Amino acid sequence: MSEQNAPKGAFIQRDKETYAIVPRTPVGLVTPELLENIASVAKKYEIPIIKITSGQRIALVGMKPEIVESVWEELGTDIGPAVGKCFHYVQACPGTAVCKNGILDSLGLGMRLEQLLVGAELPAKGKIGVSGCGLCCAESFVRDFGVFAKRTGWTFIFGGNSGRNARIGDVIAEDLTDDQVVELTNKCVKYCRANAKPNERTARFVQRIGIEEIKKAVLE
């Protein structure tokens, strides 16, 4: 089966015969019931690999294409985008929910961005990091869109990338409320859709356009 004819919500593996799926686990939060169901389904269908991903998700790997639909039905979760030109995930630290260093509610803002943006179309794939303090445990500076908390509000970062051609993102606004973060994110997304080249990640977009030009467009 070709990549184009892959089962819904699945992507081909190195062997060109088996597939992986990623159940959607917003901001990395899971329940005992979900974990039990994943384990039960993996045992039933003899899925050989269960992998915790760098994006705080759980990948089920090594499935023959004919079982993918049944696996999704029994998992009962939404699809976590793992390929394609869209937002793939929001990575968030615990923030004020439990962490002693938390300054602002990173899980709350992260969940809001997850519900608003994950799966939304972009010129290339995009990732978001939401950190509840300046330690940036959600890797906000190397995500396409990132924020971290200070006592005065959220600092907004754009154009980071952790790949082989890594780039530290640029701070484009500070002291933001949750609502202002959402508004600015939407403006940056709109600007990317209008001006980025196909398959151009935000890091390369910033290098081509220039951060000052981008700031001028989204902060007016």
Side-chain angles (χ1 to χ4, degrees):
M1 184 175 290
S2 69
E3 186 78 55
Q4 290 75 21
N5 296 320
K8 183 179 179 181
F11 49 99
I12 195 73
Q13 296 300 286
R14 183 184 181 90
D15 60 12
K16 305 300 182 184
E17 295 180 356
T18 63
Y19 289 80
I21 66 171
V22 180
R24 190 167 174 177
T25 52
V27 298
L29 292 175
V30 296
T31 64
E33 292 76 18
L34 175 61
L35 293 175
E36 287 173 348
N37 196 30
I38 288 174
S40 175
V41 170
K43 288 179 179 179
K44 177 178 178 179
Y45 291 95
E46 299 181 335
I47 298 172
I49 298 172
I50 303 174
K51 175 72 175 70
I52 303 296
T53 76
S54 59
Q56 301 178 333
R57 303 193 294 181
I58 300 172
L60 305 181
V61 186
M63 291 179 285
K64 294 292 187 180
E66 57 268 20
I67 71 168
V68 171
E69 183 177 354
S70 296
V71 169
W72 275 124
E73 288 178 358
E74 295 196 30
L75 286 174
T77 69
D78 292 331
I79 295 169
V83 295
K85 301 176 185 180
C86 65
F87 278 106
H88 285 195
Y89 59 77
V90 177
Q91 181 179 347
C93 73
T96 52
V98 293
C99 181
K100 66 177 182 177
N101 296 313
I103 296 172
L104 295 175
D105 182 11
S106 52
L107 290 180
L109 177 58
M111 187 68 77
R112 186 173 172 183
L113 292 170
E114 164 95 23
Q115 293 169 346
L116 179 69
L117 293 170
V118 167
E121 183 180 348
L122 285 172
K125 69 179 179 181
K127 301 173 182 179
I128 301 173
V130 183
S131 300
C133 79
L135 294 176
C136 280
C137 291
E139 303 175 338
S140 305
F141 275 95
V142 290
R143 295 289 171 248
D144 298 274
F145 300 77
V147 293
F148 72 89
K150 296 190 294 187
R151 297 292 176 190
T152 51
W154 296 104
T155 296
F156 191 99
I157 303 152
F158 182 73
N161 187 280
S162 62
R164 182 174 61 181
N165 189 7
R167 183 179 190 277
I168 301 298
D170 293 280
V171 172
I172 64 172
E174 298 181 86
D175 304 335
L176 303 179
T177 65
D178 286 23
D179 287 344
Q180 288 171 327
V181 168
V182 172
E183 181 182 6
L184 183 53
T185 303
N186 281 328
K187 286 182 177 179
C188 289
V189 169
K190 184 177 180 180
Y191 188 74
C192 284
R193 286 172 177 161
N195 297 282
K197 297 178 180 180
N199 298 312
E200 187 174 47
R201 293 285 297 272
T202 59
R204 309 289 81 85
F205 180 55
V206 172
Q207 289 176 322
R208 180 172 64 86
I209 298 293
I211 193 61
E212 293 305 321
E213 188 67 22
I214 294 170
K215 288 169 68 174
K216 187 190 305 182
V218 300
L219 296 177
E220 288 180 351

